[in-house]
Amino acid sequence: MSIEQQRRLVTELPGPRSQQLMARKVSAVAGGVGTTMPVFAAAADGGIIVDVDGNQLIDLGSGIAVTTVGAANPRVVAAVTEQVAAFTHTCFMVTPYDGYVAVAEALNRLTPGDHDKRTALFNSGAEAVENAVKIARAYTKKDAVVVFDHAYHGRTNLTLAMTAKNKPYKHTFGPFAPEVYRVGGSYPYRDNERDGAVAAARALDQIEKQIGADNLAALVIEPVQGEGGFIEPAPGFLPALAAWCRDNGVVFVADEVQTGFARTGDMFASDREGVAPDLIVTAKGIAGGLPLSAVTGRAEIMSAPHEGGLGGTYGGNPIACAAALAAIETIEQDGLVERAREIETLVKARLGNIEDDRIGDIRGRGAMLAVELVNSGGTEPDPQLAKDVAKAAHAQGVIVLTCGTYGNVLRFLPPLTISDALLDDAFDVLAAALEATR
Ligand SMILES: Cc1ncc(COP(=O)(O)O)c(C=O)c1O
């Protein structure tokens, strides 16, 4: 790796160059586009981001779960360089190219279930979620879509309707798309229900009473909820929902935009309980940092839209496809699924050793891990504590993100190429930051 894998601060954060750039950002970029840290990146690889002042920060965010294979993975860099020299774009809908087909083949092979599959490629996670809904509606000839409490599916109009949290995502941006219905999910730490079948029965009762399977095109769910707080449903929840969808002619859509591609210690989070979604939506970790997303699913469902009904100018751009093939090769050949499980063991051990009764819950899988912070000895969410700890970690050069409907969750999403030494250093910093807030 070209960047030394070590945290090093040579200025206070933000340093002078970052401050200058931030002043330019404020006068040039729309204020609605926020940043977690006021620090500008110059280079990144492995578990380190180098800023414009020469500080080396530990990356526990992966650009929100994107750079699973690292931010300058040599296979990705080589594949992108070769493709960019050959051609940057023709539009797959005009003159197709093989990279798109190869990505579709790889997704059909890797996604859960051995049924006949087809794939369509897009640019962002939200765009792919929208297309999954379009496809499910075309197939079922029904309209309604069910989503869950704490869900996050994106920021376009339809996906905002599907996303649960008001601020910062939805506030002032309505009206939202119709025929989207929200039901309760499974949040074992807060609903105290550890039996997924019981939680599913509760959700299905709501669906049957309030919407009706006859009106329902799709049930869309994150197998582990991301922005909502890294919420793992109780075991049995997803299989029960999938079985009900199968029995009732409803398309079961897994939104694996954040959980996909080894992130959770399986190639896909649905794999953990043997769930084979009818449609699976992927993005983020798919292409080593280039914008690409996909809908993959049962051939008969994917083939429901008329020819020309799916597409977009850039969907499955050849450079992004080249990057995806290189990222997928890296995940498979470098054993990154196993590496995610190693990271889980290491990080959970570190978190488990912190004695602090404001840690309400330690959860997550693979390299998608979180702590939920609460009032001392209770369960009341403490978003200020999450903010304070994140801020203290940032000042020490550890990039950590918060999330959760209540804003009280610290989440850890390191690149899978991070070293154990960097993880140890980062969790020393985090433990000290937590201790300092007592
Ligand atoms: C589960 C899930 N779905 C959809 C999205 C939207 O993806 P994008 O930001 O690429 O539109 C995200 C992004 O965080 C996500 O986590």
Side-chain angles (χ1 to χ4, degrees):
M1 240 169 273
S2 58
I3 297 171
E4 191 195 358
Q5 295 297 295
Q6 190 129 35
R7 179 172 64 100
R8 185 178 306 117
L9 298 186
V10 295
T11 71
E12 299 252 303
L13 294 178
R17 290 201 171 141
S18 276
Q19 288 182 39
Q20 281 167 8
L21 284 165
M22 190 50 82
R24 282 174 51 200
K25 180 218 171 227
V26 168
S27 49
V29 178
V33 184
T35 67
T36 301
M37 287 183 72
V39 165
F40 280 73
D45 200 9
I48 292 288
I49 292 181
V50 185
D51 78 5
V52 287
D53 292 287
N55 297 297
Q56 303 212 158
L57 291 76
I58 300 179
D59 182 10
L60 295 186
S62 299
I64 321 188
V66 170
T67 50
T68 303
V69 299
N73 180 282
R75 284 195 190 93
V76 173
V77 172
V80 164
T81 306
E82 190 182 329
Q83 179 59 47
V84 90
F87 62 96
T88 56
H89 176 82
T90 59
C91 188
F92 190 75
M93 300 183 304
V94 180
T95 38
Y97 36 87
D98 64 351
Y100 188 119
V101 178
V103 171
E105 287 167 348
L107 287 169
N108 296 345
R109 172 174 64 84
L110 288 169
T111 49
D114 51 15
H115 44 272
D116 191 19
K117 294 178 202 149
R118 296 290 185 276
T119 287
L121 300 181
F122 306 96
N123 301 286
S124 68
E127 190 189 358
V129 170
E130 292 232 2
N131 276 279
V133 171
K134 280 161 58 176
I135 294 163
R137 284 176 170 160
Y139 177 69
T140 59
K141 309 208 165 33
K142 298 187 276 185
D143 297 331
V145 175
V146 155
V147 291
F148 290 83
D149 283 344
H150 310 288
Y152 183 88
H153 296 291
R155 294 178 187 253
T156 56
N157 187 268
L158 172 60
T159 58
L160 276 180
M162 298 168 69
T163 288
K165 192 173 176 177
N166 178 38
K167 274 192 180 167
Y169 309 122
K170 304 170 76 154
H171 184 64
T172 73
F173 296 146
F176 303 111
E179 287 305 314
V180 175
Y181 299 88
R182 190 173 314 285
V183 300
S186 170
Y187 190 164
Y189 174 64
R190 295 212 166 269
D191 66 16
N192 284 320
E193 182 53 74
R194 312 266 154 183
D195 184 338
V198 174
R202 213 167 41 197
L204 293 171
D205 185 54
Q206 242 185 310
I207 293 171
E208 285 175 346
K209 301 271 172 14
Q210 296 178 21
I211 307 148
D214 289 351
N215 301 310
L216 189 55
L219 179 151
V220 184
I221 189 162
E222 299 155 86
V224 177
Q225 290 184 313
E227 306 301 301
F230 281 27
I231 305 164
E232 275 183 283
F237 183 68
L238 293 173
L241 295 181
W244 181 87
C245 285
R246 201 169 44 241
D247 293 345
N248 287 277
V250 173
V251 177
F252 181 85
V253 183
D255 178 347
E256 293 234 21
V257 167
Q258 189 153 169
T259 51
F261 296 101
R263 177 55 56 190
T264 60
D266 290 283
M267 188 57 94
F268 296 97
S270 301
D271 287 325
R272 187 64 63 100
E273 289 194 272
V275 171
D278 296 318
L279 301 180
I280 179 166
V281 182
T282 52
K284 288 191 183 281
I286 193 174
L290 275 86
L292 186 72
S293 62
V295 182
T296 301
R298 293 185 187 281
E300 66 273 21
I301 302 177
M302 289 298 295
S303 305
H306 52 279
E307 191 176 355
L310 302 177
T313 305
Y314 295 111
N317 167 272
I319 302 166
C321 286
L325 293 170
I328 290 167
E329 186 186 331
T330 300
I331 290 168
E332 291 195 287
Q333 297 209 349
D334 294 359
L336 294 189
V337 170
E338 292 71 33
R339 178 63 188 148
R341 291 188 180 219
E342 286 171 14
I343 290 173
E344 174 179 343
T345 304
L346 189 154
V347 172
K348 280 194 169 161
R350 291 299 311 259
L351 293 171
N353 281 337
I354 301 174
E355 283 191 22
D356 192 322
D357 66 359
R358 297 169 304 167
I359 295 184
D361 196 21
I362 298 172
R363 59 175 179 253
R365 300 211 292 256
M368 184 174 176
L369 301 164
V371 292
E372 176 154 359
L373 299 175
V374 293
N375 66 323
S376 184
T379 57
E380 198 63 38
D382 192 342
Q384 191 56 48
L385 178 59
K387 239 184 237 152
D388 292 345
V389 173
K391 197 168 165 211
H394 294 167
Q396 294 301 312
V398 175
I399 301 171
V400 61
L401 309 175
T402 59
C403 69
T405 299
Y406 313 109
N408 65 328
V409 176
L410 290 174
R411 57 166 155 173
F412 313 115
L413 291 160
L416 301 182
T417 50
I418 196 170
S419 67
D420 287 358
L422 279 182
L423 285 172
D424 270 326
D425 185 16
F427 282 90
D428 284 345
V429 168
L430 278 161
L434 196 58
E435 184 62 32
T437 59
R438 275 188 197 268

